Amino acid sequence: MNVDVLITNIGELLPMNADGAVKGKAMNELEIINDAAIAIRGDHVAWIGSMAETTNIQAKKTIDADQNLVTPGLVEPHTHLVFGGSREKEMALKQQGVDYLEILEEGGGILATVNMTRKATFDELYKKARFHLDRMMMHGMTTVEAKSGYGLDYETEMKQLEVVQKLQQNHPTDLISTFLGAHAIPPEYKDDTDGFLEKMADMLPEIKEKECAEFVDIFTETGVFTVDQSRRFLQKAKDAGFRVKIHADEIDPLGGTELAVEVGAASGDHLAVASDEGIARLAQSDTIGVILPGTSFYLGKDAYAPARAMIDAGAAVAISTDFNPGSCVTENLQLIMSIAALKLKMTPAEIWHAVTVNAAHAIDRGSTAGTIAVGRQADIVIWDAPNHMYIPYHYGVNHARTVLKSGRIMYERQAIQ
Ligand code: NIG
Ligand code: FE
């Protein structure tokens, strides 16, 4: 057999192959192939087998995995990738005990980034988002969701969505675009939230026609949008042909988890303070619980999402960085895997499901991303790690050694000369 790339000497291979999202107890069951090899032809996986079977495979390039861990490229189901500026000055405010929602109410927080994003040119936003996306790929992330939501007006929301569209054309990462025009209330609509939501809903047909977003999201939170407003807005989005997501139950328990299930959202995200009822309904549904423990960590909150209760109840859980300039400033999903182990008490097997197959289902990419299987696009990471437990264990650094996207090597760790 002639192939383009042969990855040999794989200590542990995690194929993460499943029919649909992996729910409940099954998240703790991991298929591991020891002493494995993978052959790639063009952009897809041509063969998976054991080292002993590789004798009659001729490859143009062979990569020796040195008995390390090999997994699917990580899938990142929730980021705020495109924004202007940064908010490092808010860190001092947070240290003095000023609350996240208080900062927002004073016109800071999300609204500070809105100002900087409105002022930024298309090229500035593109260059900056591309830099963050490069860094994500260096950390093993080959599929990434990206939200707008720092414009809160027609021009800037479109500018953000068009930046994502251009990145979809020019960057190797598979990017999934989400319209989050309903992310905060801009000062000019302070007393007319419904009017603002109408304005954002008016954009839906054009966004659909230009195909610059696939999902629509809303921040359902105290001082932002109520559950009723969210329900109405998301219904309009569904009527316009979008799938929907919700920033739900992040800070105050408003019932956003229940709403995510009710509207058939692809995912309910955050869920830090989800109610018992919300957890029970999530477990009975096809909605993925996307948990963002880096946000609880970065905002210094005591409340971490009840991931254990969700999994024990039978839900499908994914985890994500929530990469954004305010509540979680990191592109490193591996760090979030450690926080999930330490703070959510998720097992390594559950964590790997949460950053591959389940994350892919949260963004409707279950049939293309998050799995290594014959015929699938070859999105593969070779790690500097002897096994899958090692990544959450050794925290805060980048373990990616080689990252392949659709069969091409995009990143290789360099030794210091
Ligand atoms: O997911 N919660 C709302 N939105 C983002 C934070 C955005 C920001 O602070 O800039 C989140 O945490
Ligand atoms: Fe978010």
Side-chain angles (χ1 to χ4, degrees), residues 142-188:
T142 51
T143 301
V144 173
E145 187 258 16
K147 300 176 195 297
S148 67
Y150 291 119
L152 313 183
D153 62 19
Y154 172 83
E155 290 75 22
T156 318
E157 287 293 323
M158 286 311 290
K159 183 167 67 174
Q160 284 190 278
L161 293 175
E162 282 162 11
V163 165
V164 175
Q165 204 164 35
K166 190 169 169 191
L167 285 166
Q168 284 172 328
Q169 288 152 10
N170 296 331
H171 200 276
T173 304
D174 280 327
L175 268 174
I176 288 79
S177 181
T178 297
F179 174 53
L180 178 59
H183 190 197
I185 304 156
E188 56 276 24

mmCIF file of all heavy atoms in Angstrom, residues 142-188:
data_model
loop_
_atom_site.group_PDB
_atom_site.id
_atom_site.type_symbol
_atom_site.label_atom_id
_atom_site.label_comp_id
_atom_site.label_asym_id
_atom_site.label_seq_id
_atom_site.Cartn_x
_atom_site.Cartn_y
_atom_site.Cartn_z
ATOM 1 N N THR A 142 -7.678 21.988 16.048
ATOM 2 C CA THR A 142 -7.786 21.987 14.590
ATOM 3 C C THR A 142 -9.176 22.394 14.103
ATOM 4 O O THR A 142 -9.372 22.620 12.920
ATOM 5 C CB THR A 142 -7.428 20.598 14.020
ATOM 6 O OG1 THR A 142 -8.182 19.603 14.718
ATOM 7 C CG2 THR A 142 -5.944 20.298 14.185
ATOM 8 N N THR A 143 -10.140 22.469 15.019
ATOM 9 C CA THR A 143 -11.496 22.941 14.703
ATOM 10 C C THR A 143 -11.896 23.914 15.804
ATOM 11 O O THR A 143 -11.786 23.583 16.985
ATOM 12 C CB THR A 143 -12.497 21.763 14.654
ATOM 13 O OG1 THR A 143 -12.064 20.835 13.656
ATOM 14 C CG2 THR A 143 -13.905 22.224 14.334
ATOM 15 N N VAL A 144 -12.351 25.107 15.417
ATOM 16 C CA VAL A 144 -12.597 26.162 16.406
ATOM 17 C C VAL A 144 -13.878 26.917 16.064
ATOM 18 O O VAL A 144 -14.061 27.351 14.914
ATOM 19 C CB VAL A 144 -11.395 27.156 16.443
ATOM 20 C CG1 VAL A 144 -11.691 28.348 17.341
ATOM 21 C CG2 VAL A 144 -10.107 26.453 16.903
ATOM 22 N N GLU A 145 -14.728 27.085 17.044
ATOM 23 C CA GLU A 145 -15.916 27.924 16.879
ATOM 24 C C GLU A 145 -15.536 29.362 17.222
ATOM 25 O O GLU A 145 -14.705 29.592 18.102
ATOM 26 C CB GLU A 145 -17.025 27.426 17.822
ATOM 27 C CG GLU A 145 -18.359 28.115 17.628
ATOM 28 C CD GLU A 145 -18.677 29.176 18.659
ATOM 29 O OE1 GLU A 145 -17.750 29.630 19.390
ATOM 30 O OE2 GLU A 145 -19.835 29.580 18.730
ATOM 31 N N ALA A 146 -16.128 30.333 16.508
ATOM 32 C CA ALA A 146 -15.794 31.749 16.754
ATOM 33 C C ALA A 146 -17.062 32.585 16.738
ATOM 34 O O ALA A 146 -17.847 32.508 15.788
ATOM 35 C CB ALA A 146 -14.831 32.239 15.679
ATOM 36 N N LYS A 147 -17.224 33.409 17.788
ATOM 37 C CA LYS A 147 -18.438 34.214 17.912
ATOM 38 C C LYS A 147 -18.152 35.680 17.600
ATOM 39 O O LYS A 147 -17.063 36.169 17.909
ATOM 40 C CB LYS A 147 -18.959 34.149 19.353
ATOM 41 C CG LYS A 147 -19.294 32.752 19.816
ATOM 42 C CD LYS A 147 -19.700 32.757 21.287
ATOM 43 C CE LYS A 147 -19.687 31.355 21.880
ATOM 44 N NZ LYS A 147 -20.635 30.425 21.276
ATOM 45 N N SER A 148 -19.176 36.367 17.079
ATOM 46 C CA SER A 148 -19.107 37.829 17.020
ATOM 47 C C SER A 148 -19.568 38.333 18.395
ATOM 48 O O SER A 148 -19.469 37.610 19.372
ATOM 49 C CB SER A 148 -20.018 38.343 15.902
ATOM 50 O OG SER A 148 -21.373 38.086 16.228
ATOM 51 N N GLY A 149 -20.049 39.540 18.495
ATOM 52 C CA GLY A 149 -20.613 39.987 19.766
ATOM 53 C C GLY A 149 -19.873 41.142 20.411
ATOM 54 O O GLY A 149 -20.214 41.565 21.519
ATOM 55 N N TYR A 150 -18.866 41.677 19.725
ATOM 56 C CA TYR A 150 -18.187 42.868 20.242
ATOM 57 C C TYR A 150 -18.423 44.064 19.323
ATOM 58 O O TYR A 150 -17.625 44.997 19.273
ATOM 59 C CB TYR A 150 -16.680 42.610 20.401
ATOM 60 C CG TYR A 150 -16.351 41.632 21.508
ATOM 61 C CD1 TYR A 150 -15.691 40.441 21.239
ATOM 62 C CD2 TYR A 150 -16.695 41.913 22.830
ATOM 63 C CE1 TYR A 150 -15.381 39.544 22.255
ATOM 64 C CE2 TYR A 150 -16.401 41.024 23.845
ATOM 65 C CZ TYR A 150 -15.745 39.853 23.556
ATOM 66 O OH TYR A 150 -15.444 38.965 24.563
ATOM 67 N N GLY A 151 -19.526 43.992 18.580
ATOM 68 C CA GLY A 151 -19.893 45.115 17.733
ATOM 69 C C GLY A 151 -21.168 45.730 18.280
ATOM 70 O O GLY A 151 -21.245 46.913 18.563
ATOM 71 N N LEU A 152 -22.175 44.892 18.441
ATOM 72 C CA LEU A 152 -23.492 45.307 18.936
ATOM 73 C C LEU A 152 -24.074 46.414 18.056
ATOM 74 O O LEU A 152 -24.934 47.164 18.493
ATOM 75 C CB LEU A 152 -23.431 45.744 20.408
ATOM 76 C CG LEU A 152 -22.680 44.809 21.379
ATOM 77 C CD1 LEU A 152 -22.768 45.354 22.804
ATOM 78 C CD2 LEU A 152 -23.232 43.385 21.344
ATOM 79 N N ASP A 153 -23.555 46.551 16.848
ATOM 80 C CA ASP A 153 -24.203 47.369 15.833
ATOM 81 C C ASP A 153 -24.006 46.647 14.498
ATOM 82 O O ASP A 153 -23.189 45.718 14.403
ATOM 83 C CB ASP A 153 -23.659 48.810 15.793
ATOM 84 C CG ASP A 153 -22.177 48.885 15.437
ATOM 85 O OD1 ASP A 153 -21.618 47.908 14.883
ATOM 86 O OD2 ASP A 153 -21.560 49.923 15.716
ATOM 87 N N TYR A 154 -24.766 47.075 13.518
ATOM 88 C CA TYR A 154 -24.754 46.367 12.226
ATOM 89 C C TYR A 154 -23.342 46.277 11.645
ATOM 90 O O TYR A 154 -22.856 45.191 11.313
ATOM 91 C CB TYR A 154 -25.713 47.071 11.247
ATOM 92 C CG TYR A 154 -25.618 46.536 9.848
ATOM 93 C CD1 TYR A 154 -26.321 45.394 9.479
ATOM 94 C CD2 TYR A 154 -24.795 47.161 8.902
ATOM 95 C CE1 TYR A 154 -26.207 44.877 8.194
ATOM 96 C CE2 TYR A 154 -24.680 46.653 7.616
ATOM 97 C CZ TYR A 154 -25.392 45.512 7.270
ATOM 98 O OH TYR A 154 -25.260 45.009 6.010
ATOM 99 N N GLU A 155 -22.663 47.435 11.538
ATOM 100 C CA GLU A 155 -21.366 47.470 10.834
ATOM 101 C C GLU A 155 -20.343 46.574 11.516
ATOM 102 O O GLU A 155 -19.639 45.809 10.867
ATOM 103 C CB GLU A 155 -20.793 48.904 10.785
ATOM 104 C CG GLU A 155 -21.523 49.872 9.894
ATOM 105 C CD GLU A 155 -22.842 50.343 10.506
ATOM 106 O OE1 GLU A 155 -22.996 50.268 11.751
ATOM 107 O OE2 GLU A 155 -23.739 50.750 9.737
ATOM 108 N N THR A 156 -20.245 46.697 12.836
ATOM 109 C CA THR A 156 -19.146 45.994 13.520
ATOM 110 C C THR A 156 -19.437 44.501 13.645
ATOM 111 O O THR A 156 -18.520 43.686 13.546
ATOM 112 C CB THR A 156 -18.878 46.633 14.905
ATOM 113 O OG1 THR A 156 -18.948 48.051 14.776
ATOM 114 C CG2 THR A 156 -17.515 46.236 15.423
ATOM 115 N N GLU A 157 -20.704 44.143 13.852
ATOM 116 C CA GLU A 157 -21.025 42.709 13.888
ATOM 117 C C GLU A 157 -20.704 42.074 12.532
ATOM 118 O O GLU A 157 -20.115 40.995 12.463
ATOM 119 C CB GLU A 157 -22.499 42.487 14.253
ATOM 120 C CG GLU A 157 -22.835 42.768 15.711
ATOM 121 C CD GLU A 157 -22.178 41.789 16.693
ATOM 122 O OE1 GLU A 157 -22.071 40.591 16.374
ATOM 123 O OE2 GLU A 157 -21.750 42.230 17.778
ATOM 124 N N MET A 158 -21.077 42.782 11.440
ATOM 125 C CA MET A 158 -20.771 42.246 10.100
ATOM 126 C C MET A 158 -19.256 42.164 9.899
ATOM 127 O O MET A 158 -18.748 41.199 9.334
ATOM 128 C CB MET A 158 -21.400 43.117 8.994
ATOM 129 C CG MET A 158 -22.895 42.976 8.839
ATOM 130 S SD MET A 158 -23.537 41.291 8.743
ATOM 131 C CE MET A 158 -22.959 40.748 7.172
ATOM 132 N N LYS A 159 -18.561 43.183 10.392
ATOM 133 C CA LYS A 159 -17.090 43.209 10.241
ATOM 134 C C LYS A 159 -16.480 41.986 10.938
ATOM 135 O O LYS A 159 -15.632 41.286 10.369
ATOM 136 C CB LYS A 159 -16.569 44.517 10.857
ATOM 137 C CG LYS A 159 -15.090 44.759 10.725
ATOM 138 C CD LYS A 159 -14.714 46.218 11.086
ATOM 139 C CE LYS A 159 -14.939 46.543 12.555
ATOM 140 N NZ LYS A 159 -14.455 47.878 12.955
ATOM 141 N N GLN A 160 -16.955 41.677 12.132
ATOM 142 C CA GLN A 160 -16.436 40.502 12.851
ATOM 143 C C GLN A 160 -16.736 39.206 12.097
ATOM 144 O O GLN A 160 -15.882 38.339 11.961
ATOM 145 C CB GLN A 160 -17.072 40.406 14.245
ATOM 146 C CG GLN A 160 -16.514 41.382 15.258
ATOM 147 C CD GLN A 160 -17.038 41.023 16.641
ATOM 148 O OE1 GLN A 160 -18.144 41.389 16.986
ATOM 149 N NE2 GLN A 160 -16.272 40.299 17.415
ATOM 150 N N LEU A 161 -17.994 39.093 11.613
ATOM 151 C CA LEU A 161 -18.375 37.862 10.899
ATOM 152 C C LEU A 161 -17.570 37.717 9.609
ATOM 153 O O LEU A 161 -17.187 36.609 9.218
ATOM 154 C CB LEU A 161 -19.874 37.865 10.592
ATOM 155 C CG LEU A 161 -20.804 37.770 11.805
ATOM 156 C CD1 LEU A 161 -22.269 37.913 11.380
ATOM 157 C CD2 LEU A 161 -20.616 36.455 12.561
ATOM 158 N N GLU A 162 -17.295 38.843 8.973
ATOM 159 C CA GLU A 162 -16.522 38.772 7.720
ATOM 160 C C GLU A 162 -15.059 38.432 7.985
ATOM 161 O O GLU A 162 -14.397 37.799 7.160
ATOM 162 C CB GLU A 162 -16.700 40.066 6.916
ATOM 163 C CG GLU A 162 -18.046 40.056 6.196
ATOM 164 C CD GLU A 162 -18.540 41.418 5.733
ATOM 165 O OE1 GLU A 162 -17.757 42.402 5.774
ATOM 166 O OE2 GLU A 162 -19.723 41.511 5.333
ATOM 167 N N VAL A 163 -14.551 38.840 9.147
ATOM 168 C CA VAL A 163 -13.187 38.431 9.526
ATOM 169 C C VAL A 163 -13.145 36.904 9.656
ATOM 170 O O VAL A 163 -12.243 36.243 9.132
ATOM 171 C CB VAL A 163 -12.745 39.105 10.843
ATOM 172 C CG1 VAL A 163 -11.519 38.418 11.429
ATOM 173 C CG2 VAL A 163 -12.449 40.584 10.616
ATOM 174 N N VAL A 164 -14.146 36.341 10.305
ATOM 175 C CA VAL A 164 -14.188 34.877 10.450
ATOM 176 C C VAL A 164 -14.291 34.217 9.072
ATOM 177 O O VAL A 164 -13.609 33.232 8.782
ATOM 178 C CB VAL A 164 -15.357 34.431 11.357
ATOM 179 C CG1 VAL A 164 -15.470 32.909 11.394
ATOM 180 C CG2 VAL A 164 -15.167 34.974 12.766
ATOM 181 N N GLN A 165 -15.125 34.800 8.209
ATOM 182 C CA GLN A 165 -15.295 34.227 6.865
ATOM 183 C C GLN A 165 -13.973 34.236 6.090
ATOM 184 O O GLN A 165 -13.625 33.261 5.429
ATOM 185 C CB GLN A 165 -16.356 35.027 6.113
ATOM 186 C CG GLN A 165 -17.022 34.241 5.021
ATOM 187 C CD GLN A 165 -18.312 34.908 4.563
ATOM 188 O OE1 GLN A 165 -18.407 36.138 4.529
ATOM 189 N NE2 GLN A 165 -19.303 34.111 4.208
ATOM 190 N N LYS A 166 -13.219 35.329 6.222
ATOM 191 C CA LYS A 166 -11.925 35.391 5.516
ATOM 192 C C LYS A 166 -10.939 34.378 6.120
ATOM 193 O O LYS A 166 -10.159 33.756 5.399
ATOM 194 C CB LYS A 166 -11.362 36.822 5.580
ATOM 195 C CG LYS A 166 -10.167 37.006 4.680
ATOM 196 C CD LYS A 166 -9.748 38.459 4.528
ATOM 197 C CE LYS A 166 -8.394 38.538 3.840
ATOM 198 N NZ LYS A 166 -7.809 39.877 3.888
ATOM 199 N N LEU A 167 -11.005 34.225 7.425
ATOM 200 C CA LEU A 167 -10.134 33.221 8.068
ATOM 201 C C LEU A 167 -10.523 31.807 7.636
ATOM 202 O O LEU A 167 -9.668 30.939 7.475
ATOM 203 C CB LEU A 167 -10.204 33.338 9.597
ATOM 204 C CG LEU A 167 -9.459 34.520 10.201
ATOM 205 C CD1 LEU A 167 -9.875 34.731 11.656
ATOM 206 C CD2 LEU A 167 -7.947 34.327 10.105
ATOM 207 N N GLN A 168 -11.822 31.597 7.442
ATOM 208 C CA GLN A 168 -12.269 30.276 6.959
ATOM 209 C C GLN A 168 -11.622 29.971 5.607
ATOM 210 O O GLN A 168 -11.291 28.834 5.311
ATOM 211 C CB GLN A 168 -13.807 30.235 6.813
ATOM 212 C CG GLN A 168 -14.526 30.114 8.136
ATOM 213 C CD GLN A 168 -16.040 30.269 7.999
ATOM 214 O OE1 GLN A 168 -16.528 31.004 7.135
ATOM 215 N NE2 GLN A 168 -16.801 29.606 8.855
ATOM 216 N N GLN A 169 -11.451 31.026 4.806
ATOM 217 C CA GLN A 169 -10.852 30.813 3.477
ATOM 218 C C GLN A 169 -9.337 30.675 3.542
ATOM 219 O O GLN A 169 -8.738 29.970 2.733
ATOM 220 C CB GLN A 169 -11.225 31.986 2.550
ATOM 221 C CG GLN A 169 -12.691 31.966 2.135
ATOM 222 C CD GLN A 169 -13.237 33.366 1.822
ATOM 223 O OE1 GLN A 169 -12.477 34.338 1.734
ATOM 224 N NE2 GLN A 169 -14.541 33.473 1.671
ATOM 225 N N ASN A 170 -8.703 31.353 4.499
ATOM 226 C CA ASN A 170 -7.239 31.464 4.454
ATOM 227 C C ASN A 170 -6.484 30.716 5.541
ATOM 228 O O ASN A 170 -5.257 30.647 5.486
ATOM 229 C CB ASN A 170 -6.828 32.938 4.538
ATOM 230 C CG ASN A 170 -7.318 33.713 3.338
ATOM 231 O OD1 ASN A 170 -7.456 33.149 2.255
ATOM 232 N ND2 ASN A 170 -7.605 34.967 3.524
ATOM 233 N N HIS A 171 -7.170 30.222 6.542
ATOM 234 C CA HIS A 171 -6.468 29.551 7.642
ATOM 235 C C HIS A 171 -6.793 28.065 7.610
ATOM 236 O O HIS A 171 -7.932 27.693 7.307
ATOM 237 C CB HIS A 171 -6.883 30.158 8.991
ATOM 238 C CG HIS A 171 -5.913 29.884 10.093
ATOM 239 N ND1 HIS A 171 -5.933 28.704 10.816
ATOM 240 C CD2 HIS A 171 -4.873 30.599 10.572
ATOM 241 C CE1 HIS A 171 -4.945 28.732 11.703
ATOM 242 N NE2 HIS A 171 -4.283 29.871 11.573
ATOM 243 N N PRO A 172 -5.818 27.214 7.907
ATOM 244 C CA PRO A 172 -6.097 25.778 7.858
ATOM 245 C C PRO A 172 -7.124 25.288 8.878
ATOM 246 O O PRO A 172 -7.765 24.254 8.663
ATOM 247 C CB PRO A 172 -4.728 25.137 8.135
ATOM 248 C CG PRO A 172 -3.883 26.215 8.721
ATOM 249 C CD PRO A 172 -4.408 27.500 8.176
ATOM 250 N N THR A 173 -7.295 26.006 9.979
ATOM 251 C CA THR A 173 -8.280 25.591 10.986
ATOM 252 C C THR A 173 -9.681 25.546 10.386
ATOM 253 O O THR A 173 -10.043 26.421 9.608
ATOM 254 C CB THR A 173 -8.292 26.610 12.153
ATOM 255 O OG1 THR A 173 -6.974 26.711 12.661
ATOM 256 C CG2 THR A 173 -9.241 26.193 13.262
ATOM 257 N N ASP A 174 -10.477 24.541 10.744
ATOM 258 C CA ASP A 174 -11.901 24.565 10.407
ATOM 259 C C ASP A 174 -12.579 25.507 11.388
ATOM 260 O O ASP A 174 -12.550 25.265 12.601
ATOM 261 C CB ASP A 174 -12.512 23.156 10.560
ATOM 262 C CG ASP A 174 -12.215 22.292 9.356
ATOM 263 O OD1 ASP A 174 -12.137 22.833 8.239
ATOM 264 O OD2 ASP A 174 -12.042 21.073 9.533
ATOM 265 N N LEU A 175 -13.178 26.563 10.866
ATOM 266 C CA LEU A 175 -13.801 27.572 11.727
ATOM 267 C C LEU A 175 -15.313 27.504 11.601
ATOM 268 O O LEU A 175 -15.835 27.445 10.479
ATOM 269 C CB LEU A 175 -13.347 28.954 11.287
ATOM 270 C CG LEU A 175 -12.115 29.527 11.975
ATOM 271 C CD1 LEU A 175 -11.729 30.838 11.311
ATOM 272 C CD2 LEU A 175 -12.398 29.779 13.448
ATOM 273 N N ILE A 176 -15.997 27.540 12.716
ATOM 274 C CA ILE A 176 -17.458 27.523 12.733
ATOM 275 C C ILE A 176 -17.907 28.868 13.286
ATOM 276 O O ILE A 176 -17.491 29.267 14.378
ATOM 277 C CB ILE A 176 -17.990 26.351 13.603
ATOM 278 C CG1 ILE A 176 -17.750 25.017 12.895
ATOM 279 C CG2 ILE A 176 -19.480 26.473 13.866
ATOM 280 C CD1 ILE A 176 -16.394 24.476 12.972
ATOM 281 N N SER A 177 -18.747 29.561 12.543
ATOM 282 C CA SER A 177 -19.061 30.948 12.891
ATOM 283 C C SER A 177 -20.416 31.074 13.583
ATOM 284 O O SER A 177 -21.406 30.487 13.154
ATOM 285 C CB SER A 177 -19.062 31.775 11.606
ATOM 286 O OG SER A 177 -19.340 33.114 11.890
ATOM 287 N N THR A 178 -20.436 31.869 14.652
ATOM 288 C CA THR A 178 -21.658 32.104 15.429
ATOM 289 C C THR A 178 -21.919 33.596 15.557
ATOM 290 O O THR A 178 -21.015 34.361 15.914
ATOM 291 C CB THR A 178 -21.522 31.491 16.836
ATOM 292 O OG1 THR A 178 -21.383 30.075 16.708
ATOM 293 C CG2 THR A 178 -22.743 31.791 17.706
ATOM 294 N N PHE A 179 -23.163 34.002 15.284
ATOM 295 C CA PHE A 179 -23.575 35.400 15.453
ATOM 296 C C PHE A 179 -24.048 35.605 16.887
ATOM 297 O O PHE A 179 -25.042 35.030 17.319
ATOM 298 C CB PHE A 179 -24.705 35.719 14.465
ATOM 299 C CG PHE A 179 -25.314 37.080 14.644
ATOM 300 C CD1 PHE A 179 -24.533 38.230 14.659
ATOM 301 C CD2 PHE A 179 -26.693 37.226 14.795
ATOM 302 C CE1 PHE A 179 -25.095 39.494 14.816
ATOM 303 C CE2 PHE A 179 -27.277 38.481 14.953
ATOM 304 C CZ PHE A 179 -26.470 39.615 14.965
ATOM 305 N N LEU A 180 -23.287 36.440 17.637
ATOM 306 C CA LEU A 180 -23.630 36.729 19.028
ATOM 307 C C LEU A 180 -23.921 38.231 19.177
ATOM 308 O O LEU A 180 -23.408 38.906 20.063
ATOM 309 C CB LEU A 180 -22.483 36.249 19.958
ATOM 310 C CG LEU A 180 -22.583 36.490 21.460
ATOM 311 C CD1 LEU A 180 -23.820 35.851 22.091
ATOM 312 C CD2 LEU A 180 -21.326 36.011 22.185
ATOM 313 N N GLY A 181 -24.734 38.745 18.252
ATOM 314 C CA GLY A 181 -25.108 40.159 18.350
ATOM 315 C C GLY A 181 -25.780 40.464 19.685
ATOM 316 O O GLY A 181 -25.711 41.584 20.196
ATOM 317 N N ALA A 182 -26.432 39.463 20.283
ATOM 318 C CA ALA A 182 -27.111 39.634 21.567
ATOM 319 C C ALA A 182 -26.164 39.270 22.719
ATOM 320 O O ALA A 182 -26.438 38.377 23.513
ATOM 321 C CB ALA A 182 -28.368 38.780 21.602
ATOM 322 N N HIS A 183 -25.037 39.965 22.785
ATOM 323 C CA HIS A 183 -23.998 39.648 23.784
ATOM 324 C C HIS A 183 -24.050 40.613 24.962
ATOM 325 O O HIS A 183 -23.643 40.289 26.073
ATOM 326 C CB HIS A 183 -22.624 39.725 23.097
ATOM 327 C CG HIS A 183 -21.492 39.194 23.909
ATOM 328 N ND1 HIS A 183 -20.183 39.475 23.628
ATOM 329 C CD2 HIS A 183 -21.459 38.394 24.997
ATOM 330 C CE1 HIS A 183 -19.399 38.868 24.494
ATOM 331 N NE2 HIS A 183 -20.145 38.215 25.347
ATOM 332 N N ALA A 184 -24.498 41.844 24.720
ATOM 333 C CA ALA A 184 -24.617 42.853 25.787
ATOM 334 C C ALA A 184 -25.518 43.948 25.231
ATOM 335 O O ALA A 184 -25.867 43.918 24.046
ATOM 336 C CB ALA A 184 -23.242 43.427 26.134
ATOM 337 N N ILE A 185 -25.892 44.885 26.096
ATOM 338 C CA ILE A 185 -26.754 45.976 25.629
ATOM 339 C C ILE A 185 -25.873 47.205 25.416
ATOM 340 O O ILE A 185 -25.261 47.699 26.368
ATOM 341 C CB ILE A 185 -27.856 46.269 26.661
ATOM 342 C CG1 ILE A 185 -28.652 44.978 26.932
ATOM 343 C CG2 ILE A 185 -28.774 47.375 26.165
ATOM 344 C CD1 ILE A 185 -29.344 44.965 28.281
ATOM 345 N N PRO A 186 -25.779 47.702 24.196
ATOM 346 C CA PRO A 186 -24.911 48.861 23.964
ATOM 347 C C PRO A 186 -25.518 50.107 24.604
ATOM 348 O O PRO A 186 -26.742 50.183 24.742
ATOM 349 C CB PRO A 186 -24.866 48.967 22.437
ATOM 350 C CG PRO A 186 -26.134 48.345 21.965
ATOM 351 C CD PRO A 186 -26.476 47.273 22.967
ATOM 352 N N PRO A 187 -24.683 51.089 24.990
ATOM 353 C CA PRO A 187 -25.189 52.273 25.700
ATOM 354 C C PRO A 187 -26.330 52.952 24.958
ATOM 355 O O PRO A 187 -27.289 53.415 25.581
ATOM 356 C CB PRO A 187 -23.969 53.205 25.777
ATOM 357 C CG PRO A 187 -22.790 52.405 25.329
ATOM 358 C CD PRO A 187 -23.243 51.117 24.766
ATOM 359 N N GLU A 188 -26.281 52.971 23.624
ATOM 360 C CA GLU A 188 -27.321 53.683 22.873
ATOM 361 C C GLU A 188 -28.699 53.008 22.976
ATOM 362 O O GLU A 188 -29.709 53.592 22.616
ATOM 363 C CB GLU A 188 -26.894 53.914 21.414
ATOM 364 C CG GLU A 188 -26.496 52.700 20.583
ATOM 365 C CD GLU A 188 -25.049 52.215 20.713
ATOM 366 O OE1 GLU A 188 -24.398 52.487 21.750
ATOM 367 O OE2 GLU A 188 -24.577 51.521 19.782
#
